[in-house]
Amino acid sequence: MFAPYPVTAYSAVNALGTTTRRVIEALSAGRSGLRRCTLDLAFETFAGELPEAPPPLPASLGDFDSRTARIAVAGLDELRPALSAAIARHGADRIGLIVGTTTAGLARTEGAYQALRETGHIPLDYDFHRQHSFGGLLEAVGRAAGIEGPALVVSTACSASAKALASARRLIASGIADAVLVGGVDGLCLTTLYGFHSLEILSATACRPFSTERNGITIGEGAAYLLLERTGEARAWLLGVGESSDAYHMAAPHPEGAGALGAMREALQGGAPSEVDYINAHSPGTRLNDQSEGKAVAALFGAGGVPIASTKGYTGHLLGAAGATEAVFSIVALEQGWIPRSLGADPADAALGLDLVTERRARPCRRVLSNSFAFGGSNVSLLFGSAPP
Amino acid sequence: MSGRTSPWAAVMGAGAWLPGVPDVRALMDGTRRDDADGPPARLPVRLRRRASLLIRMVAEVAAQASDQAGISLGAMPIVVGSAYGELGTTMEMLQELSIDRSVSPFRFHNSVHNTASGYLSIAHENRSPATSLAAGWQTAAMALLEARTLLEDRGGDVLVVVADETLPAALTSTVATPVSGALILRALPRDESETAMGTSEIDRALAWLADLRQEPALDGAAAPAPVDRARPADPGVDPGRAFLRLVSAAAAAGARPGLPPVRIDLTGGGDRPWSVAVGAGSPRAASRRAPQDTPTRRAP
């Protein structure tokens, strides 16, 4: 029996803006945040960098400094009133923290390693435990948020912060927490840019999910948070979660989308596919993903059965932050009654047989499904609704 | 706590590997063996090639637990806890990046934290949810917590593995050697777990409270310092070795094969936010006898 819980607050910062309002305005206006990458690389690419550098951490958290930690803490700012209210209502030790990330402070480690090679010394202010390790990032976010319940990082690559919501729901259902702050955060670093480049799936220009002109992914950075509570004033409801493994390949999705289909089906919780008003797709802009996700969606919803869009043409692929960020976008569709245009999808790949939203579409939404798929064959599908079932 | 299942789970199987200690029996006996090559890679041939130490450790201890339980790893959810993830592969990538300004594609996709859980799902054609998590010094606790909430949610069995590789000397002065442990846990219905043991057994019940974050290391290294809440990210706590205390406790309590229950509690707040108890006795016996102030191993 799946108990639905309310999402009572959310925030998102990424290439579209450093406040949630600016992010949503850009999404509504169909404006991309992707630009030529400013990092010094051996190749040309685009990236979704924050429009302004994230502010330094407060002095008390200085030991934890990394670009990712700065983005994570900056992304908390707008949630402070909601967090204070939740702490007053439940107690800080009854609020859990689950953060999805893939890199944490890896950018700091890249710099430290380079310095070691050049000078023979690790920089004095480098701290492996507090900056590199996921536990360090978790500690910094937990302290900045002022919450003291169970805290963990979920790191299942690009499904991490969607998976974090799955764990958060169970933590509340089991009675261990009354609320969980779910976050997703990643900062740009060389390893991911060079890594996706070497896999030959990094686009030289802005990514084009679902388009016949797609040419790979664009990496972005950002943070997003959702406060999931046992009770409270809902902005939206988490109505279903589906999780599966492809058991197929570390880096390639199942060609028939079997794992994706299983996750979506589980997320529907027995509800009819026709009740879903919009799918926020995983599609980061690779042919393999589009074929796999497209087949799974068509199998469950029928050809053209449901409007579908990818928001990665706005923000880039936020990796560990993608699931939480796109959960926020899904809730915005429920609250505001519009579906963002799938930026870059035009000319759309008609062979996929999907109702691709190539122009912003006004549509009252009661149910929105959000997909996140990842290396390791990790699939998560989240169902949000404007009201409990 | 919600109603359907109790916070107790049955241990169906256990596995352990660390250098010199190839399995749970060796862990209990204190016997040591030279195994400089690392654990055998209990993986299909196509996955064995270039599998990292972390992948091989996770595959090995999971297979040990599966063998003992007589349960295939083909269907149960998988939880892998690792404070640092694919460290060896990450160090190789840093070197490549620094020297050649490139990263091998294979290394890159095998550097993600969920590489080992992904390998397990592929090796056993397991399409159930698999997760990979980290929580610094609380990694073992959070892996157990994740397992517990999965058991409450789905029933059935869950594989929980905690493992970490050697810490890189280039980046940290903290010394930690490889370690891995696994448990297969089975959900117990609430009424069954509370009546599983008669009162006559309570008095001779073993009840150990394994405070996983303060247990001394198994291999003779100094016990980690008590956790300083002001600087809780301090190293010196080794989640994998802490987890092995639980594996040992479960193995010792299981004089009968099968069913020593494990209790995973979260009391919340304070400086002891969670605890794990293991006993062959009833849940009531364990909670009555388990010392709350110091981590102590009780003789029966």
Side-chain angles (χ1 to χ4, degrees):
Chain A
M1 181 71 190
F2 190 100
Y5 294 118
V7 176
T8 57
Y10 59 75
S11 71
V13 298
N14 51 54
L16 296 179
T18 51
T19 66
T20 308
R21 187 176 56 81
R22 277 187 220 147
V23 167
I24 295 170
E25 279 172 3
L27 189 70
S28 178
R31 228 173 23 238
S32 177
L34 306 183
R35 305 278 181 274
R36 191 173 297 281
C37 184
T38 61
L39 272 67
D40 176 27
L41 302 169
F43 50 84
E44 288 285 318
T45 192
F46 270 44
E49 295 176 54
L50 288 190
E52 300 152 39
L57 296 176
S60 62
L61 297 176
D63 290 354
F64 297 90
D65 193 27
S66 70
R67 186 172 176 90
T68 303
R70 290 183 183 201
I71 295 170
V73 171
L76 274 178
D77 270 352
E78 294 177 75
L79 277 188
R80 294 205 180 276
L83 277 171
S84 297
I87 290 167
R89 199 156 57 243
H90 309 296
D93 61 351
R94 294 288 299 169
I95 304 176
L97 171 66
I98 308 186
V99 176
T101 187
T102 67
T103 62
L106 184 55
R108 276 301 290 264
T109 301
E110 290 166 357
Y113 193 88
Q114 190 64 27
L116 175 68
R117 284 191 54 82
E118 287 168 6
T119 69
H121 301 287
I122 287 284
L124 285 174
D125 61 352
Y126 175 73
D127 187 323
F128 177 76
H129 298 284
R130 292 187 182 79
Q131 294 160 10
H132 178 88
S133 88
F134 291 164
L137 177 71
L138 186 68
E139 188 65 36
V141 175
R143 287 208 221 169
I147 53 182
E148 295 166 10
L152 62 142
V153 161
V154 173
S155 190
T156 53
C158 303
S159 67
S161 56
K163 201 90 170 161
L165 262 168
S167 293
R169 184 195 70 79
R170 286 192 292 265
L171 210 52
I172 295 174
S174 70
I176 288 164
D178 293 320
V180 179
L181 177 64
V182 176
V185 60
D186 260 315
L188 275 189
C189 66
L190 297 175
T191 304
T192 48
L193 287 159
Y194 279 94
F196 283 111
H197 179 71
S198 76
L199 284 169
E200 300 181 348
I201 54 173
L202 190 69
S203 175
T205 53
C207 64
R208 307 279 302 274
F210 292 132
S211 172
T212 53
E213 296 175 6
R214 68 173 88 75
N215 189 28
I217 74 172
T218 301
I219 313 281
E221 63 182 358
Y225 292 95
L226 300 101
L227 186 59
L228 191 69
E229 297 196 62
R230 182 180 305 284
T231 57
E233 196 172 326
R235 303 199 62 169
W237 293 80
L238 180 61
L239 298 184
V241 178
E243 298 174 83
S244 72
S245 300
D246 276 355
Y248 174 71
H249 191 269
M250 269 307 291
H254 188 280
E256 301 301 318
L261 180 60
M264 287 191 288
R265 194 169 269 150
E266 187 184 334
L268 292 182
Q269 291 294 315
S274 60
E275 291 175 359
V276 174
D277 297 297
Y278 162 50
I279 296 178
N280 180 299
H282 173 69
S283 179
T286 64
R287 187 178 46 82
L288 282 180
N289 177 88
D290 285 359
Q291 289 173 351
S292 164
E293 186 171 17
K295 280 181 187 168
V297 168
L300 190 54
F301 294 89
V306 59
I308 185 167
S310 166
T311 53
K312 291 188 171 72
Y314 295 83
T315 60
H317 192 350
L318 296 172
L319 308 180
T325 301
E326 294 172 26
V328 169
F329 293 167
S330 300
I331 292 172
V332 168
L334 293 170
E335 288 185 311
Q336 301 188 7
W338 52 268
I339 299 171
R341 75 174 161 120
S342 193
L343 202 59
D346 200 13
D349 183 351
L352 297 172
L354 302 173
D355 176 12
L356 285 165
V357 180
T358 52
E359 292 300 332
R360 181 186 187 276
R361 195 181 293 183
R363 173 173 175 138
C365 296
R366 294 180 58 249
R367 299 262 197 286
V368 175
L369 198 66
S370 185
N371 286 338
S372 295
F373 310 137
F375 281 171
S378 173
N379 308 298
V380 184
S381 192
L382 304 169
L383 181 68
F384 293 97
S386 52
Chain B
M1 302 295 152
S2 68
R4 284 167 299 129
T5 55
S6 78
W8 287 88
V11 175
M12 306 304 292
W17 187 92
L18 64 167
V21 181
D23 53 30
V24 175
R25 180 171 295 278
L27 187 68
M28 304 303 293
D29 295 349
T31 53
R32 293 293 178 268
R33 193 178 306 169
D34 178 25
D35 57 358
D37 294 337
R42 290 224 233 164
L43 291 164
V45 175
R46 71 198 156 90
L47 295 175
R48 204 177 296 160
R49 201 168 65 93
R50 295 195 288 179
S52 70
L53 177 59
L54 190 66
I55 296 169
R56 285 182 288 138
M57 288 194 295
V58 169
E60 169 63 21
V61 295
Q64 288 180 20
S66 165
D67 290 348
Q68 188 190 7
I71 308 170
S72 125
L73 296 174
M76 68 185 78
I78 296 167
V79 176
V80 173
S82 178
Y84 300 99
E86 292 288 340
L87 267 178
T89 302
T90 301
M91 293 305 291
E92 290 166 9
M93 278 198 311
L94 287 169
Q95 188 176 17
E96 275 186 297
L97 201 54
S98 167
I99 297 171
D100 305 329
R101 296 191 90 197
S102 73
V103 164
S104 108
F106 181 87
R107 283 202 183 101
F108 177 62
H109 69 61
N110 270 27
S111 72
V112 295
H113 197 276
N114 60 322
T115 303
S117 58
Y119 265 65
L120 267 189
S121 73
I122 295 167
H124 299 280
E125 297 179 9
N126 183 333
R127 295 180 173 82
S128 291
T131 195
S132 195
L133 59 88
W137 50 274
Q138 289 195 321
T139 297
M142 293 302 126
L144 286 163
L145 181 63
E146 181 74 19
R148 177 188 153 179
T149 65
L150 276 163
L151 290 172
E152 290 198 36
D153 200 47
R154 294 178 173 254
D157 300 326
V158 169
L159 170 70
V160 54
V161 181
V162 176
D164 266 296
E165 297 184 341
T166 309
L167 293 184
L171 298 180
T172 174
S173 55
T174 310
V175 177
T177 51
V179 61
S180 53
L183 293 171
I184 291 174
L185 302 177
R186 173 166 290 180
L188 292 174
R190 178 170 288 274
D191 53 346
E192 185 179 314
S193 67
E194 290 180 356
T195 57
M197 299 287 164
T199 47
S200 64
E201 290 185 276
I202 294 177
D203 287 342
R204 42 192 188 83
L206 286 171
W208 291 344
L209 184 73
D211 184 331
L212 301 190
R213 68 191 166 90
Q214 292 192 5
E215 283 291 318
L218 281 172
D219 55 359
V227 174
D228 174 359
R229 292 286 291 177
R231 293 175 75 77
D234 268 339
V237 178
D238 189 327
R241 281 176 179 72
F243 189 74
L244 283 189
R245 299 302 301 195
L246 181 60
V247 171
S248 312
R256 307 166 291 135
L259 291 169
V262 175
R263 186 184 176 94
I264 303 161
D265 274 347
L266 246 92
T267 51
D271 60 355
R272 188 176 294 276
W274 57 274
S275 63
V276 178
V278 178
S282 76
R284 275 168 296 147
S287 61
R288 200 180 69 200
R289 296 178 59 120
Q292 294 302 312
D293 48 353
T294 50
T296 308
R297 179 195 288 204
R298 289 272 178 97

